Amino acid sequence: MEVESALERFHSLKLTDIMPRFETMPVVTADSDLLSVLKILRTRHHVWVVDSRENMKLVGVIRYRDVIDVLLPPEAHKFKLGMTSKTMRSMLGGATKAEDVAERHVLTVEEDATVLDALMKMRKYKIQVLAVVKDGKLVGEVSLRILIDELLRLLRVGGAQWRA
């Protein structure tokens, strides 16, 4: 298999065919305490926040880098105009649950999207992970690492060789 045909096949793959098993995803409910979130973030780059395990409605995401705002005291976030949304995300500012610190504007991709759709969105918004949703419910995730793994698998299986 030529690299070009491997890439064409890769781009047309459905995300549902390459997403990791749902049980392996970092997911917490909106009412989960922050210590549970921090424990997950020791080994993961993000945690998805859902309304409940029953409805799986996506509420937001907490990224590893967002933990800085959670750990800083509220006064570290204050500006001359007063309180900011980041002030409220601080543990000392009163944040106790996952929903208190979750970023609500989550970039998503629909369940029936292709790898190419996901890559285009990742490039446009300069991000490396997308929530995969169906009717607003979290059904999976796709990350640049997952996409790289899948491309390498395709190239190995197809016996493609990079040519200079």
Side-chain angles (χ1 to χ4, degrees):
M1 176 177 0
E2 296 280 333
V3 172
E4 292 81 14
S5 61
L7 280 169
E8 280 180 25
R9 182 160 175 241
F10 173 65
H11 289 153
S12 64
L13 286 172
K14 293 286 185 194
L15 295 180
T16 50
D17 295 334
I18 63 167
M19 291 186 312
R21 288 189 346 271
F22 191 82
E23 311 81 63
T24 67
M25 288 176 41
V27 178
V28 297
T29 55
D31 62 354
S32 295
D33 67 281
L34 283 182
L35 292 182
S36 301
V37 172
L38 292 175
K39 286 176 185 173
I40 294 170
L41 288 172
R42 286 188 306 186
T43 59
R44 300 299 294 257
H45 291 279
H46 64 280
V47 177
W48 303 113
V49 181
V50 296
D51 181 52
S52 71
R53 294 269 177 194
E54 292 73 41
N55 70 21
M56 293 306 288
K57 182 178 174 289
L58 185 61
V59 171
V61 64
I62 303 169
R63 291 181 185 85
Y64 181 71
R65 67 171 190 252
D66 297 335
V67 172
I68 294 169
D69 292 330
V70 174
L71 299 178
L72 281 171
E75 56 271 15
H77 300 293
K78 286 186 182 169
F79 294 103
K80 290 181 180 155
L81 298 174
M83 302 291 270
T84 67
S85 62
K86 289 187 177 183
T87 305
M88 308 310 288
R89 290 186 181 179
S90 166
M91 287 176 90
L92 290 173
T96 59
K97 295 179 169 41
E99 66 184 337
D100 298 336
V101 300
E103 170 58 53
R104 302 296 178 131
H105 302 289
V106 184
L107 288 169
T108 63
V109 64
E110 289 297 319
E111 178 184 49
D112 61 354
T114 64
V115 165
L116 183 59
D117 297 329
L119 284 168
M120 296 294 285
K121 196 164 215 177
M122 287 175 172
R123 183 180 73 180
K124 181 177 180 178
Y125 295 102
K126 296 178 174 56
I127 57 162
Q128 293 86 40
V129 66
L130 293 167
V132 180
V133 296
K134 179 179 182 180
D135 302 323
K137 297 178 181 185
L138 183 66
V139 296
E141 69 180 359
V142 63
S143 67
L144 197 50
R145 178 171 287 124
I146 292 165
L147 296 177
I148 290 168
D149 286 346
E150 185 59 27
L151 176 62
L152 292 174
R153 188 193 68 76
L154 264 180
L155 291 172
R156 272 197 310 275
V157 169
Q161 299 289 313
W162 292 110
R163 295 197 181 109

